[in-house]
Amino acid sequence: MKQKDLQDSAKRAALGKLSGLVGIVCNVGLAGSKLAVGKLAGSMSITADGLNNLSDAASSIVTLTGFKLAEKPADKEHPYGHARFEYLASLTVSVMILFIGFELAKSSVEKVLHPVAVEFSLLSMIVLIASILVKAGMMIFNTRMGKRIDSTTLIATAADSRNDVLTTAAVLAATVVEHISGWKIDGLMGGLVSVFIIVSGISLAKDTISPLLGEGANTGLREQLIGYISSCPLVLGCHDLLVHDYGPGRQYASIHVEIDKKIDPMVCHDEIDRIERECLNRFGVHMVIHYDPVITDDAELDQMHHQVLTILQQIDAEITIHDFRVHTHEGKKELVFDMVVPSEWQGQEKNIVRELTERLQKENKETY
């Protein structure tokens, strides 16, 4: 790993751990004050909000641990590093959030069925207002840190803090409404808090499970990589881009590039090496490039390539082909090429080939 990569990984880990420490301190303080006030006031919604902060503190501990483990260097058993620990930390956090959410939902239902008056006090109002301000500050802090290091974990933490601002505001509203009108909506508001927690947990789980399952590169990165490589000298085209995500800052990719077969292979090799290094410097992607030599001065081959592509795009304009070659064997022409079809055509490639063959034979009166 390059020195620059080591420095970036260390910076990322330091900011992630800082966010975790800030989260632990703030959430433990908020949880303690809310649980105490909720107990004194007999408020399920305030107690629920306090337990939510306690779960947030536990989440911050997991986040801190995740960043700590993710910075471990690659070893024999894990040659691509340990950066996926950040995703595992996020998944653990989501499970904890869901557990707390369902427990609070259960308690809130009991409070709705058996309502108890909530004691209004200036102390509870101060605690709730202070909580809103602290959580708003944490939301801003984690959003900035998450964008700075491109961390889904910190962005999710920021979204959780935003939800906490909304739910605490709902708890504050329930307390004030009951004090003014006498309506016992504390259990209902506690239920709403639990819904926010559950939704947050589900959303976070979806965001972290996807990269663990091996999702493809985001559209922006794909466009950047393909756009840059296509613009490089000697490159006539590129295809079959695959990106593997082993955690933040650990992306490995492969792609095929087409270069005129007449160009000296050593010149092609040097240019490919340069492109690979530039992909790492520009996009932070460890790229491996496969070299496809192509024929550029065969008029008959070009005419056949154009005819095949025209027929396929009449079937579906999104179909593309590459590595096109024509072989003649025992009087028959054999067309060899790779075909890329849209997702809706997956599994129907044989039907496409059958229709292409029939139309080629009809148009050319030849056997394929």
Side-chain angles (χ1 to χ4, degrees):
M1 185 181 294
K2 290 185 176 183
Q3 184 64 28
K4 182 179 181 296
D5 296 331
L6 289 171
Q7 292 172 350
D8 290 344
S9 297
K11 179 180 177 181
R12 179 186 187 84
L15 292 176
K17 288 184 286 187
L18 174 62
S19 175
L21 287 171
V22 170
I24 293 170
V25 173
C26 292
N27 284 307
V28 167
L30 290 175
S33 58
K34 287 181 186 178
L35 291 174
V37 171
K39 181 74 171 178
L40 293 173
S43 169
M44 176 54 68
S45 56
I46 295 178
T47 300
D49 207 24
L51 288 173
N52 181 33
N53 291 142
L54 195 60
S55 73
D56 290 341
S59 300
S60 296
I61 294 174
V62 174
T63 299
L64 177 63
T65 304
F67 274 102
K68 180 65 178 176
L69 294 174
E71 68 178 335
K72 290 177 60 179
D75 53 33
K76 184 177 181 181
E77 290 76 20
H78 306 92
Y80 299 106
H82 299 78
R84 279 186 175 176
F85 266 119
E86 187 176 332
Y87 296 151
L88 293 173
S90 297
L91 184 59
T92 303
V93 169
S94 68
V95 172
M96 295 170 63
I97 289 175
L98 287 170
F99 176 78
I100 292 294
F102 283 116
E103 286 297 310
L104 294 182
K106 178 182 176 181
S107 300
S108 296
V109 169
E110 293 176 357
K111 188 67 179 288
V112 170
L113 297 176
H114 307 287
V116 178
V118 175
E119 181 181 337
F120 179 87
S121 69
L122 179 61
L123 178 60
S124 63
M125 295 299 98
I126 292 174
V127 168
L128 292 175
I129 292 172
S131 175
I132 291 173
L133 296 176
V134 171
K135 280 294 183 176
M138 292 177 64
M139 176 190 69
I140 295 171
F141 173 77
N142 283 303
T143 298
R144 289 179 177 175
M145 291 297 100
K147 290 181 177 179
R148 186 173 177 181
I149 63 175
D150 190 26
S151 170
T152 55
T153 301
L154 297 188
I155 293 297
T157 302
D160 190 38
S161 294
R162 178 202 62 207
N163 291 342
D164 289 342
V165 170
L166 297 176
T167 55
T168 302
V171 172
L172 179 62
T175 305
V176 173
V177 167
E178 182 168 343
H179 178 68
I180 295 175
S181 66
W183 296 344
K184 293 181 174 58
I185 61 172
D186 181 56
L188 178 61
M189 285 299 185
L192 292 175
V193 171
S194 69
V195 170
F196 272 109
I197 295 172
I198 292 170
V199 170
S200 176
I202 292 173
S203 177
L204 178 56
K206 289 171 61 179
D207 289 341
T208 54
I209 289 175
S210 185
L212 285 172
L213 290 177
E215 66 180 0
N218 65 69
T219 303
L221 179 59
R222 289 185 64 87
E223 291 177 351
Q224 287 180 320
L225 289 171
I226 291 175
Y228 166 69
I229 294 173
S230 298
S231 69
C232 289
L234 307 185
V235 175
L236 302 176
C238 58
H239 52 85
D240 290 349
L241 172 63
L242 296 175
V243 180
H244 305 278
D245 187 343
Y246 289 92
R250 294 290 187 278
Q251 289 183 309
Y252 296 80
S254 62
I255 194 170
H256 291 220
V257 298
E258 299 172 353
I259 300 178
D260 192 329
K261 76 177 185 67
K262 296 192 299 294
I263 298 176
D264 189 316
M266 294 305 297
V267 174
C268 297
H269 179 270
D270 289 343
E271 175 63 9
I272 286 172
D273 275 354
R274 187 196 66 79
I275 296 172
E276 290 174 342
R277 290 193 299 270
E278 196 62 23
C279 284
L280 181 59
N281 292 332
R282 290 193 183 194
F283 312 110
V285 175
H286 300 263
M287 179 68 73
V288 175
I289 296 177
H290 175 79
Y291 162 47
D292 285 339
V294 297
I295 300 172
T296 60
D297 55 358
D298 187 324
E300 182 181 0
L301 180 67
D302 290 342
Q303 187 274 333
M304 183 59 66
H305 178 276
H306 176 73
Q307 185 179 19
V308 169
L309 184 59
T310 299
I311 294 173
L312 289 175
Q313 293 199 332
Q314 287 174 354
I315 297 174
D316 191 308
E318 298 299 317
I319 296 177
T320 61
I321 59 175
H322 52 79
D323 291 345
F324 189 88
R325 301 181 300 281
V326 178
H327 302 306
T328 302
H329 180 66
E330 296 181 353
K332 295 182 179 180
K333 285 186 177 180
E334 182 181 40
L335 306 183
V336 181
F337 57 87
D338 291 334
M339 178 173 63
V340 181
V341 300
S343 57
E344 57 267 24
W345 284 97
Q346 295 291 331
Q348 303 181 59
E349 291 85 355
K350 289 184 178 179
N351 296 334
I352 297 175
V353 172
R354 186 183 303 113
E355 182 174 348
L356 171 64
T357 303
E358 291 173 355
R359 292 183 59 173
L360 284 172
Q361 291 174 340
K362 181 178 180 181
E363 293 179 12
N364 298 283
K365 308 300 183 183
E366 294 186 51
T367 303
Y368 291 89

